[in-house]
Structure formats: C-alpha cells, structure tokens
C-alpha cells in the first residue's frame, strides 16, 4: 500500500515510526518540539521545527523524548554523540547545515572518530538531520550544500535523499544504523509530493537508485538535482538521446558499482552537484570513475555545479547560481559535438 | 518614566528629535516590509525589529561612523539607527543592484561598513567575536573608537557569548555587549533556554559591569549606553547591558506565534510602546513640539515610500555580478 | 588539614586505602611515563597528571562503572582513578595492540567505555558537551547514573564550557563539572586568560552551586564531590567544583617551563604534595597503618613495572587494523 | 644572497619581515608570544608557540602586536576577521588545523563570505597559519590535513608550502594579500633545512612550481608529499623513467595550467595527497584534468592518499597510513603494466 505524502511528512512519519519502535530514539534540536514550558501552549500547537517538519511529534512522545535545546550547536550535537554512545539513539536536528560551523568539532573530531580512537569499543548510533540547498532566497549562510565536508570525513555516513519515498526509507535506515549518519534535507523539496509506502520500511544506505534508464549518457545527480536531471533527460529524449539518471542517495558510502555499471553502458558521464565546485562530490565521483572506469569513457566527464562563490541573495543571481536543465543540455551538446541540442 | 535628571540635562532637543526620527524610521520601515512581504513581493526570510526600536536607537545615539556595531538576523533596526541609507536598505531587501550590498546580502546580511555597520548576521552568536575584533583594532591602533555587539536572549547561550566577552574583558577592550532580551529565541522562551535569571547576571563571571534596563524606555537605554560608551572610550573596558524588550511581530514573517501569550502581546505592543513612551516624554519635557514630531512622522513616511519605490524600480544585479566580489584579487 | 568531622565519619579505612592506592598508581605511572619518554621510547605528545592526583581520585571515589567521566588531554590520572587497567593503559601509550584502544588512540585518546571512561580528549573543552550527553542519557532513561566532566582552567574560556553548563542547568542533569585549576593553560596563566577571579564564580551565571576547594587536599575534594554526586543522583542538578591544584611537570613532556616561577614550583611540588598530605592524615587518623601504606606503595611499584614490561613486549597492531573500527557496519 | 634555514625559521623570518614593514600586521593566537603577564618571564624566553615557531617575535614587537589568546578559537579567529576588516592585517595562528572544528563558522560563514555578502565593500586581509599533517604520532585529532575543507569554500585562499624557500615567500604573499588565506604548515617539516633568500621576497599565490622536470609521468604532490614524490622519482629514474613533479603550492586558487601542461607532455598523472581520500584535493585535481585535459591522458589518473579512516596513533599503523615512495612506484607500475618497477 502506498499513499501520497510530501517530503516533509515522509520525514515526520519516519521519525514517528522510529520513536514508536524504540524507546531509545529521541529527537533533539532547536524548537524541534517548539515552545518548551510555555504554559498555555498545547503540544499540538507547538512549532515542530522552524519549517514544521517535526510538528505533532512532541504531542505523541512527550518532552522527555522530544527535546528543545538552547541555541548551542556544539553543546547539543556534542551531547548527542555521547547520548548515543551511552545508550540512546538520538535524532539531532542541525537546523541548517550551514550551522556546522558552530559544531564541526563535535561531528568531525568526536562523533566521527570516537569508535576508531576507542579501538572499536564504542558505537555512536546518531543521526543528524539537517537542511541544505539553494533556491529559497535564504542567502549565503542558509543555502549551502555542505555534504562534501562530511563526505571527506571518515567515520560519518552521508545521506541525501531526493524523493519522499527515499527520504522515509533512508531516514529509518539512518536512525537504526549504528554509525553516525548525516541526513540532508533540501528545504525546497519539503513541499514536494510523492508515493510513499505505508508503515515501516528501510532503504539500505550505500545503494544508489536508477531514477531513469537510458543508454546514451549517465547523469549522476545529487538530492534535488535529480529533478533537474530528469527535466534535462526528458528534453534530451525528444532529441533522441536517452539519459540514465543515477541517484547515489548516499554519498558515504558511495555505491561505486552502480555508477560504474551505468558509465560502462553509456560511455558518457555528467555529474550534477549544486555544491561549490572545488573538492566537491562531483569531483569525487569523477575521480573515482577515472580511476576505476577509465576505459569506459568516450568523452571527458562534465560537472555541473555552483560557481566558486557564496550563494547570492538576489533571486536573479541565485537562479543563475544553480544548475538547471539548460546547463546539462549544453554540457551534453559539447560532449557529443551536437550544437542543436544546446540551442533547443 | 524613571529617567534621571542628569540625562535630561545632557539631552539636547536636537538629539531627542534625531532619536525620535530614527525610531519612527525603524517602525515604518518594518511595517512596510511586513506589508510587502505579506503580498509575496519579498524573497527569503525576514525578521522584523518593530517593538525594539529604543534599544538600537538609544545605543547608536552615542556612536559615530568610526564606531562599529555587529548586528543579528534581526538587523534592520540596527542599520537604521547606525545611519544606513533607507533606499539602499530597501533595495537590498528586494535583492536589487542598488542595494547596500548590491543585492547579494539581503535582509540577513545587510551591512554598510562605511557607516560602521559590520553586518546583520545569519548566525546566532556570530557577532560576539566580530565586535571583539573591531574593539581589538581600536586598542592596537590606539584610537578611541568603540564597538557594540547587539545580541538576543537566544544568542546568550551560544559559546561565542562566552569567548567574546571573556576576551573583551581580559584585554579591556572598548566593546559594549547589548542584550536585546525580547523573551524569545524563535519559539523558545528565555526562561526555558537560559539558566540565568537575567543575562546581566552573567557579567559577574567576567568581572565586568552588567546592567539591566527597561528596553522599552529609550532614555534608560540611552543613559546606560552613555555610561558604557564613556567607559569604553576611556579605556575602562567592556560593559554588558541587558535591555528587556519585546518583539511585536513573530520570529520571522509567517510565524503563527502560538507560543506567545495574548495578554503579553497586548500589554507590550499596545500599552508599552517605546515610541509612544518617548513621544509623551519628549512633549512633556519640551524636547520637541507636537509639530516637530508630526513633521518627522510625515517626512519618515515619505522616505519609506520613496525607499519602496526605489527598491521596486531598481534593476536586478547583472549576471556578471554572480562571481564578482568573492575575492579582492581576482574574479 | 581543615577537613570536617563528617567526612572522617563516613570515610572507611578501606576507601582511604583505595584512594591512597589510586593516587600512588597515578604518581608512579606518570613518573614512569616521564622516564621512558625522556629515553625517547614513547611516541607523540604526552601530558602528565602528576601533582593533581587528589582531584581525579577524590571525585572518582564516589563513582561506579555505570557513571561516566569525560577527561582531557591530561587523561592518565582520570583513567586510573576510574579503574582502567594499568597494563592496557601503558600498552596504549606505547601504541600496542593490547592497549585499551588497540593502540589506535594513544595517550591523548585513552578511553575505556566499559569503565565509564569516555575518553581523554585532544580538544580542549571537548568534554563539556560529552558529559552533558551522558547526563542526558541518565535523565531520559531515568537511571541514577551521574557524569563528571574534568576540565582545565584553560578550557574554562572555551565556548563549550558555557554551552555545556547552561544545558546541564536548564535540564537539571546529573553532571558535575570539575575544574582542575592548575594555574596554567600551556604557558598562559589562569589570571591572564580568564576574566573571572575563580572559575567557580561563573557558576552563578547558570544558577548552579559553585564551590572552591583545595585540590591538593584529597579529603576536601572527596567531600565536595560527595555532596555534588548526592545532589546529582537525587535529581537536584549540576554542580561546579573548582579544585585549585598544580601540575608538577610541564604542559607536555619536553616543555622547558620558563613561565613557571621557581618558588611556586618548590612550594607546590615539594611542600604541598597531595599524596604526602593524605598519607600524613591517614596515619594520624588511623585510617591506615604505615605497613598498609608501604605495602600499597610496593604493590603499585610492581604493577607499574609490570605494565611497562607488558607495554614493551606486546605486539604492534596488525596492518589489517588500519581501516578497522571506522564503522560498525562495514570496513 | 641565500642562506640555509629551517622551515620553522623561514616562517619566523617572514613574520618578522612583515611586522617590520607594516605596523598593521599583528600576530595573534594561543601562546604565540607565550606566557603573557608572567612577571619574571623575559620576552626572549617566552614560548613562541607550542612548537617555538614564533619564538623571539614578541621580544621584537611587543605585546600590543603579539597577542596571546585564551583557548577560544571561535573567539579570536572571529575577532581576527573583523580586525582585518577594520584596519589591521592579522596573522592568526590556529595551532592545529584540526581545531577548525571550534571555529569553522568564523572562517567559512564570516571571514570567507564577508566581502561577497557586503557586495564587495569589505576586505579581509587575514592570514590564518595552521599546522597539519600526519607522521608525528599525534593521533586522530592532531594529525589531519584538512585543506580540502578550506579549498571547498569560496572566498578563501589555501596555501600549502613544501620547502623553507616557498614557506617564506608564500607567507609574505599571504600576509599582504587582501583576501583571507589559510596557510598550512606541516609539523614534520619544521626541522627541514633549505636555501632561503635573504630579505623580503614574495612568491605569487596561485603559481605552481615544478620541483623536478620529467617526461614520462606527472606527479602532483601536496606539501610534505612533494618530498615523498621526489624520492619516488629518484628511484624511478634508476629504472629509466623521468617523473615531473608539480607542487601546486596553492590549492585555491589552483594553477591549472601548469598541471595541464605537464600532463600534456607526460600523458600520465599520479596525485599524492596525504588527506582523507573522499572529496579531497586529489579528486579535485583529477576531475579538473579529466574535464580540461582528457585527451592528454594515456592512462587512468591514480591517487595516492590516506585510507578512509582517522589517523591512528600507533606508529606502525601511522606509517602504513601515509603515502610513501613504494605506493607511488606501485601505482606507476600498474599504470604502465611493468611489474619490475613496483618490486624494486
Ligand atoms: C548558530 C545558529 N543557530 C540557530 C539559528 C536559527 N535561528 C535564527 S534566529 C534564532 C533565534 C534567535 O533568538 P534571539 O537571539 O533571542 O534573537 P531574536 O530572534 O529574539 O531577536 C535561531 C535559533 C541560527 N541562525 N544560527
Ligand atoms: C580546541 C583546542 N585548542 C587548543 C588546544 C591546544 N592545547 C592543548 S592543552 C592546552 C592547554 C589546556 O589548558 P588547561 O585547560 O588549563 O589544562 P591543563 O593542560 O592545564 O591540564 C592547549 C591550549 C587544543 N588541544 N584544543
Ligand atoms: Mg530573543
Ligand atoms: Mg591548566
């Protein structure tokens, strides 16, 4: 049985299911309940996070398990690391991934390394949910897609879903994973609707999904950019080219085989990653394919990314900043030397 | 109104009118932004300063363009009090090329370094170290400039509060930390999130003066700030001033504010308005005539309307701006 | 010695001897590490705890294996007081496969989660949030476990101090913050780097009890910790205890310590030794006989020698260990 | 005129020259003077940093310009950002690059973005000096090479010198650059000696250096790994192959042309980067070469990096962790299908 749910509700449902299943699961973050200890406030009216994603959860599970924190990211993310190591299974919300600047130590030097430094004697079953992505007119400090920073760091898993279905199944996997997982939610996807299975299901972390089959070109696209790629693929199809779209879904670990198999078939690769261009996931995937699948390649790998610049506020600039189908088409046109594609 | 005689003595009619004007500018600016945001004409997140005018204005009344301030996500009021251009501000909020930041910053990063306004900040607590840096420049270069850090009750629990104030204290820097305690950080109350009874109580842990003032009373803020700025300029080090205030709107535009209690809303917004309070005081104490203030209100309304027209009609940034200003030395 | 009668009453001879043993273990362990480091046999950075034994031991005397502690870069003493195996510790410092962390952590990350020792930490201030997390688990799971955060005077100026203590306070968590104020953070004095007169003075800003004790007096620490642990277990929330102490060695092995003053060195190291002070007290109050203590000293010496032999002779980790333990779920 | 100096002294000399030249240059960090306000301590005995790199500088310039800070990285790095924006030219020392966890916000969201967010109306002439690198037995939290994180972030420049000569000239350029620069110093290089010019000289940021000429293979190596590459090149030379070694020296901006020119000549590329393998500078350079120099390549690009794991403490494991000449030789052997090289 499936039903239509928004991306936001799919996440809410995953958290609810996880908290029902296991009393050790707690939800912690800034206003994740919303309005703690306000006398007149009924729990069902509580904010449920700045975007309302966790609305209603405090009503079901109470304030012992749904915990509003002060604005102290180092404090509560660090606390979540050891809460995880001492018996809980926290879902910590880092409101915007940009705020990692206030708690990178707790993620990079504590959470990610604890198990290794302790010689394998600890587990850190922590999930950090965090918003990312440009397009919301939220400017330079609230629009970044910083998953490359986390992918760089050993000891973390990094998950970036692109659909409500994937979001629910991957969040459930993340919560019940015994390693620290950073779970990225694109703020511009929250209102997107999609089919989602009823009840509890998981999607394995580390398994890519082919969002569209094709034989002429592989597009690996991350998060929201999967939809940009799908749009480009539809247009390419009209021109007679079928693109295969691989959604890695998890960046660390990365499903190298699915990507390589696709490139082996198509011989061409475009990677769409809205993050900053240097040392990003696009370069990571490109380098991996060159290392392990060099002979499959009929053409240079092209990367469609943001420019090397902060995210501008002005809507007109932000629109230029992001990848779009036209940029993908132009890259493909260049790749195969067919200008008629780019000009539409 | 509980304002001491000494203030009355030092407060000129000119200053009083300037402060009145700035408060009204902030209020009208924010009401206008509220309206145009509601119409869906403004992009992004917008946090309004309405209700807290007395804080920004009472403090900035003592500053020159050479003095610096660091601001917050709720930065329009600080900008206006520090003398930023209204047209440039509104254009910035519209994302236009004529904006203070060429449209690249927006409401959350509005800034004008020539006016000593070192930027609104999208990062809660981001301002503490930045204010300390401006204070450090003053100390190293032996100027008499001061730096002011505006911050919220929510920010008071961030680690940067602690690091920033401790550094200012040990180096005896000319930095004034101004808490805008409006009772809430987003939906969380000050009482819930903060273990201290007053933010000013924390000053003792840094061996610096901590003062509590009625942030709805312009002259109380003005007076406390005067003392703090004097200390700072005299090389006597930092001060923490806690202004108890209230934000009339929600955390951001679009917030249903279910966490606020209705009684408090009415009490604060309708019966404790800082502008009204100062207006009554100014009239009663002959700092300004009714005509003066009417004229100010009129002129501000026009200025705000002008700013909207300016913002609306200004061109969007050129595509070439996208990758400009990332570096000084290359594009 | 200024220790109250009530302590004497509650302190059994058994406990006193355990504490003496632990202090001597720490001292002998550190002296040994000092010696073998000087010979060039130990890799990396090593920070010695000698001189501060009374703090770790006086606090951990009240804890069980279910209680947690977070430690610092200067972590050997905390480990020993919390009951970690000496052989495993020494092997860890040698980087051997038999070490507490299989040789992967070393001195700066020595840990034993089964003993509730949540790790030394290479990051100053790293422990505050981590201790809060253990306290949070206790609260959510409604156990009576407590968590102790040991930290230095240098760490007291890091933002995590503020965030951690505030959170523990608002949630009323069973966390005890134990300041080891040894007067220095590296070469910087407490007086220079900290704007507070005492670390404990900062407790007021969080509405929690703050206590100052002579950290060279084991029983003073023991008594203050007893109260704090009782409060924590009773759900009465966090306490900050500041122990004034001194580190006998430099910041790390190899430090010339030019910043220390000679008089203070002699006074503290030679005339205010916490082990000697407790020994005199225990003998005077019939908590132990000379023979008991001699036997303890003897036995500890042997244990430490054994640990060195164990460390030296243990095998290095297998190459396959390099990429193991990064994740639970895959290699 | 040149003289022999250690890497450490070359840095000390650069700082001294800069402070002599411009009164706005200050040095700030934890114990960069060492022992502030200790009565009996003579300035010439002061620590000069945990590794003694800045020894003697406080004696010359006094404590108004050489400032010991509390252990508060967010605090003093953030302060350095606006000190720079309001008229100073600070050299801030972040003792170990691993401590970026405590102050990423100040670097990433404030320092790097200030100019852009302000529409170009601010400058941030800040240099952050920081230690990196494994091999010192300093374990997981004091051995990382995190330059990829900084390279990812627009608005920062990233410099990683490999010799005393480069360190001095590049540090002087960094200090007088009007953008924020992160300057990496490998702690295991401090005692290395090399020829250094007397007096003031600069090396442009963004210009790679060819450390060895060759025609059969290009090795791009970062920081200390330049020396690993040189060793490998010597051994390869004995086998009849001449490797060209490109030292990028600055990772952001990256001198793409010098790398591409070399690969155009040799047709083969190995990148040696001791950082974590995912989203690192090796992947960045590989992807760049594939994008812009695909046709030059006769073989897959190989990357010699750390494994995807924290840095282990145990010396035996740490030695395995790092790149070494043998790994480079083995990669080249595989590349050209000549096993006799790898087996020596
Ligand atoms: C580091 C960081 N954490 C969280 C946020 C999200 N956030 C924006 S404003 C805000 C509340 C701030 O409260 P306060 O300091 O009291 O200022 P006020 O909004 O009341 O003016 C929060 C949590 C942020 N922008 N930055
Ligand atoms: C975040 C961070 N900053 C700086 C350092 C370098 N460092 C290691 S120990 C130390 C001094 C710590 O002083 P204190 O907290 O008083 O502890 P003590 O060494 O006196 O026991 C410093 C600065 C670090 N390890 N982590
Ligand atoms: Mg507030
Ligand atoms: Mg200390």
């Amino acid at each position: 049985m499936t039903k239509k749910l928004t991306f936001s509700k799919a996440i809410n449902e995953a958290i609810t299911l996880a908290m029902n299943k296991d009393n050790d699961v707690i939800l912690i973050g800034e206003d994740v309940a919303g309005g703690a200890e306000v006398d007149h406030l009924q729990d069902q009216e509580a904010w449920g996070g700045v975007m309302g994603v966790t609305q209603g959860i405090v009503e079901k599970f109470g304030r012992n398990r749904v915990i509003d924190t002060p604005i102290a990211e180092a404090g509560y993310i660090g606390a979540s690391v050891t809460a995880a190591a001492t018996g809980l299974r926290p879902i910590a919300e880092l409101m915007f991934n940009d705020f990692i600047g206030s708690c990178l130590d707790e993620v990079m030097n504590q959470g990610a390394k604890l198990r290794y430094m302790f010689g394998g004697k600890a587990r850190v079953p922590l999930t950090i949910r965090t918003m990312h992505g440009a397009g919301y007119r939220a400017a330079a400090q609230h629009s970044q897609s910083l998953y490359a920073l986390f992918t760089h760091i050993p000891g973390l898993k990094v998950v970036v879903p692109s659909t409500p279905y994937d979001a629910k199944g991957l969040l459930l996997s993340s919560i019940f994973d015994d390693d620290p997982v950073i779970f990225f939610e694109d703020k511009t996807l929250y209102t997107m609707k999609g089919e989602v299975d009823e009840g509890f299901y998981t999607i394995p972390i580390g398994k890519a999904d082919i969002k569209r089959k094709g034989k002429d070109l592989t597009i690996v696209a991350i998060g929201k950019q999967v939809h940009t790629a799908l749009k480009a693929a539809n247009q390419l199809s009209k021109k007679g080219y079928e693109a295969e779209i691989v959604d890695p879904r998890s960046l660390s670990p990365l499903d190298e085989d699915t990507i390589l198999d696709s490139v082996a078939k198509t011989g061409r690769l475009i990677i769409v990653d809205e993050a900053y261009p240097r040392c990003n996931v696009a370069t990571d995937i490109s380098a991996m394919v060159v290392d392990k699948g060099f002979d499959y390649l009929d053409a240079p790998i092209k990367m469609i990314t943001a420019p090397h610049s902060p995210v501008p506020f002005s809507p007109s600039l932000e629109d230029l900043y992001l990848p779009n189908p036209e940029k993908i088409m132009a890259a493909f046109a260049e790749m195969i030397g067919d200008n008629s594609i780019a000009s539409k | 109104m509980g304002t001491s005689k000494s203030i009355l003595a030092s407060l000129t009619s000119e200053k009083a009118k300037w402060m009145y004007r700035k408060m009204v500018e902030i209020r009208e600016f924010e009401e206008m932004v509220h309206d145009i945001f509601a119409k869906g004409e403004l992009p992004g997140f917008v946090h309004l300063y309405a209700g807290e005018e007395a804080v920004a204005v009472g403090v900035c009344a003592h500053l020159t363009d050479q003095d610096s301030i660091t601001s917050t996500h709720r930065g329009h009021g600080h900008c206006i009090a520090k003398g930023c251009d209204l047209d440039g501000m509104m254009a910035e909020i519209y994302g236009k090329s004529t904006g203070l930041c060429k449209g690249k910053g927006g409401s959350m990063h509005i800034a004008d370094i020539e006016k000593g306004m070192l930027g609104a900040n999208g990062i809660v607590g981001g301002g503490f170290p930045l204010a300390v840096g401006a204070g450090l420049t003053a100390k190293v270069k032996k100027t008499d400039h001061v730096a002011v850090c505006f911050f919220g009750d929510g920010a008071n629990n961030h680690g940067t509060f602690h690091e920033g104030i401790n550094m200012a204290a040990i180096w005896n820097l000319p930095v004034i930390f101004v808490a805008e305690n409006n009772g809430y950080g987003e939906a969380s109350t000050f009482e819930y999130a903060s273990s201290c009874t007053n933010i000013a109580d924390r000053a003792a842990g840094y061996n610096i003066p901590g003062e509590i003032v009625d942030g709805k009373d312009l002259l109380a803020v003005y007076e406390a700030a005067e003392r703090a700025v004097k200390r700072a300029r005299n090389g006597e080090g930092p001060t923490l001033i806690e202004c108890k205030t209230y934000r009339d709107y929600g955390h951001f535009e679009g917030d249903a504010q279910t966490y606020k209690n209705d009684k408090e809303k009415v009490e604060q917004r309708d019966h404790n308005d800082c502008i009204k309070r100062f207006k009554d005081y100014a009239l009663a104490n002959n700092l300004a005539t009714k005509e003066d203030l009417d004229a100010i209100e009129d002129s501000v309304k026009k200025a705000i309307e002008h700013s909207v027209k300016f913002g609306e009609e200004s061109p969007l940034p050129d595509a070439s701006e996208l990758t400009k200003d990332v570096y000084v030395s290359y594009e």
Side-chain angles (χ1 to χ4, degrees), chain A, chain B:
Chain A
M1 280 274 293
T2 70
K3 57 185 173 185
K4 275 227 167 202
L5 274 190
T6 61
F7 196 88
S8 169
K9 282 266 178 282
I11 287 165
N12 186 298
E13 199 168 280
I15 296 171
T16 305
L17 286 163
M19 293 186 76
N20 263 325
K21 188 183 160 86
D22 183 346
N23 281 328
D24 290 339
V25 177
I26 63 166
L27 178 65
I28 182 167
E30 290 160 19
D31 288 305
V32 287
E37 288 177 22
V38 173
D39 278 345
H40 69 276
L41 184 75
Q42 305 298 309
D43 273 349
Q44 73 266 28
E45 300 170 336
W47 261 29
V50 78
M51 304 297 252
V53 177
T54 51
Q55 239 264 315
I57 294 183
V58 66
E59 202 189 341
K60 297 195 189 81
F61 300 102
R63 295 207 175 247
N64 192 48
R65 292 177 63 200
V66 183
I67 304 171
D68 285 344
T69 68
I71 307 172
E73 289 79 13
Y76 76 84
I77 296 286
S80 299
V81 166
T82 35
T86 58
L88 294 176
R89 198 171 270 287
I91 308 167
E93 178 175 307
L94 180 65
M95 195 184 294
F96 290 84
N97 77 149
D98 314 68
F99 304 166
I100 188 63
S102 296
C103 57
L104 181 67
D105 189 71
E106 286 64 30
V107 175
M108 174 177 81
N109 285 332
Q110 315 295 342
K113 298 185 175 37
L114 203 74
R115 179 174 176 75
Y116 191 83
M117 294 189 305
F118 288 15
K121 290 185 193 154
R123 329 190 136 203
V124 184
L126 164 65
T127 301
I128 299 178
R129 296 176 41 237
T130 191
M131 261 190 278
H132 76 107
Y136 204 86
R137 296 21 181 144
Q141 293 173 341
H142 286 70
S143 304
Q144 298 170 90
S145 284
L146 295 172
Y147 33 68
L149 303 188
F150 299 86
T151 302
H152 187 56
I153 300 164
L156 303 177
K157 294 181 177 174
V158 181
V159 172
V160 191
S162 68
T163 67
Y165 180 86
D166 287 353
K168 181 176 167 185
L170 283 165
L171 183 51
L172 280 166
S173 286
S174 301
I175 296 168
F176 291 103
D177 195 286
D178 279 341
D179 291 309
V181 180
I182 321 292
F183 186 89
F184 283 83
E185 304 170 10
D186 190 307
K187 59 181 90 63
T188 64
L189 286 181
Y190 278 139
T191 53
M192 176 202 170
K193 286 195 169 176
E195 294 290 327
V196 169
D197 283 0
E198 300 268 9
F200 193 102
Y201 67 92
T202 58
I203 295 173
I205 295 174
K207 195 76 206 77
D209 186 42
I210 296 182
K211 287 282 190 288
R212 185 187 196 279
K213 288 250 170 226
K215 58 178 187 6
D216 301 315
L217 163 69
T218 299
I219 307 179
V220 175
I222 298 164
K224 171 172 70 184
Q225 298 309 326
V226 167
H227 306 288
T228 311
L230 282 166
K231 278 188 205 129
N234 283 340
Q235 297 186 32
L236 286 175
S237 183
K238 289 181 199 142
K239 309 264 177 184
Y241 298 98
E242 297 305 329
E244 176 146 306
I245 298 181
V246 181
D247 176 357
R249 296 197 294 202
S250 117
L251 305 179
S252 183
L254 181 72
D255 182 352
E256 301 183 346
D257 291 342
T258 300
I259 296 170
L260 288 166
D261 288 349
S262 179
V263 177
K265 185 168 69 177
T266 65
R268 301 186 188 98
L269 175 59
I270 292 177
I271 308 166
V272 190
D273 174 2
E274 72 166 83
Y276 302 130
R278 303 290 315 279
C279 299
N280 67 2
V281 174
T283 69
D284 182 83
I285 292 174
S286 170
M288 183 279 290
V289 171
V290 168
D291 183 15
K292 300 184 179 169
F294 189 68
D295 292 339
Y296 306 151
L297 289 168
D298 297 331
I301 298 168
K302 289 292 161 190
M303 299 175 285
I304 315 285
T305 70
H308 187 63
S309 116
V311 182
F313 166 68
S314 183
S316 65
L317 294 179
E318 196 183 27
D319 290 343
L320 291 169
Y321 185 86
L322 280 165
N324 60 31
E326 291 67 43
K327 293 181 190 175
I328 299 175
M329 312 263 293
F332 184 65
E334 192 192 325
M335 206 175 249
I336 61 166
D338 178 351
N339 276 331
S340 73
I341 294 171
S343 59
K344 281 204 188 173
Chain B
M1 205 170 166
T3 302
S4 72
K5 283 275 153 53
S6 62
I7 278 294
L8 247 189
S10 86
L11 182 66
T12 62
S13 160
E14 200 190 339
K15 189 64 127 188
K17 284 188 271 187
W18 180 88
M19 291 202 287
Y20 187 71
R21 183 182 178 97
K22 287 293 150 189
M23 291 213 293
V24 176
E25 279 180 5
I26 297 173
R27 178 67 52 88
E28 294 295 326
F29 190 91
E30 296 297 61
E31 298 288 353
M32 182 61 83
V33 171
H34 176 78
D35 290 347
I36 51 185
F37 187 90
K39 285 191 228 149
E41 284 170 22
L42 288 183
F45 291 111
V46 173
H47 308 83
L48 300 183
Y49 196 74
E52 309 186 11
E53 292 84 352
V55 181
V57 173
V59 172
C60 292
H62 303 288
L63 307 181
T64 73
D65 286 358
Q66 277 66 53
D67 298 319
S68 302
I69 66 168
T70 62
S71 170
T72 68
H73 55 289
R74 201 175 298 290
H76 307 167
H78 307 128
C79 271
I80 293 174
K82 198 68 177 45
C84 294
D85 177 59
L86 295 174
D87 290 348
M89 284 183 63
M90 195 62 89
E92 187 58 35
I93 293 170
Y94 270 97
K96 298 299 181 71
S97 64
T98 54
L100 286 185
C101 306
K102 296 201 225 158
K104 294 183 182 181
S107 168
M108 248 191 306
H109 307 299
I110 194 160
D112 189 350
I113 202 163
E114 276 160 36
K115 294 278 177 192
M117 161 61 189
L118 300 186
N121 210 311
I123 302 299
V124 170
F128 296 105
L130 304 182
V132 169
L136 188 64
T137 298
K139 186 180 180 190
V140 172
K141 294 193 152 227
K142 302 188 168 62
T143 67
D144 71 345
H145 307 154
V146 306
V148 173
C149 171
F150 291 100
F151 68 99
D153 50 290
N156 125 81
N157 298 313
H158 201 269
T160 46
F161 167 96
H162 184 63
E163 297 192 2
I165 299 184
N166 184 61
M167 287 182 4
I170 65 167
W171 294 331
N172 212 36
L173 299 182
V175 184
I176 298 140
F177 297 94
V178 179
E180 306 182 314
N181 188 345
N182 59 15
Y184 299 95
E186 290 188 358
S188 290
T189 63
F190 168 65
E191 288 74 25
Y192 171 75
S194 298
S195 53
C196 52
T197 312
N198 301 288
I199 297 173
D201 298 347
R202 290 183 165 165
Y206 309 97
N207 272 325
I208 66 165
E211 234 186 291
I212 302 173
V213 302
D214 176 356
K216 289 290 195 173
D217 178 349
L218 174 68
L219 293 183
V221 176
Y222 180 82
E223 194 191 357
E226 181 166 271
R227 278 194 302 274
V229 170
K230 198 172 286 172
R231 291 186 70 245
R233 291 207 205 280
N234 284 344
E236 293 166 51
T239 304
L240 171 57
I241 303 174
E242 175 179 8
C243 304
K244 306 275 191 189
T245 183
Y246 193 76
R247 58 167 150 77
D248 287 346
Y249 288 104
H251 168 60
F252 46 31
E253 290 307 275
D255 171 5
Q257 303 183 61
T258 48
Y259 53 86
K260 274 194 185 174
N261 98 39
D262 292 332
K263 187 161 143 276
E264 157 199 297
K265 264 197 254 183
V266 174
E267 259 171 28
Q268 291 293 332
R269 181 158 186 164
D270 302 340
H271 301 299
N272 194 23
D273 181 44
C274 56
I275 298 184
K276 173 97 179 35
R277 280 176 67 179
F278 181 62
K279 182 173 187 172
D280 293 348
Y281 178 90
L283 291 174
N285 290 276
N286 299 319
L287 284 163
T289 64
K290 173 102 181 28
E291 292 68 47
D292 290 339
L293 302 188
D294 285 350
I296 289 175
E297 286 166 28
D298 254 31
S299 139
V300 168
K301 280 216 169 67
K302 290 205 187 89
I304 301 298
E305 270 157 29
H306 185 273
S307 75
V308 172
K309 201 163 139 45
F310 181 79
E312 275 179 355
E313 292 176 1
S314 287
L316 286 162
D318 191 80
S320 68
E321 285 293 331
L322 181 59
T323 52
K324 247 183 220 151
D325 303 326
V326 182
Y327 296 92
V328 176
S329 51
Y330 68 96
E331 267 167 44

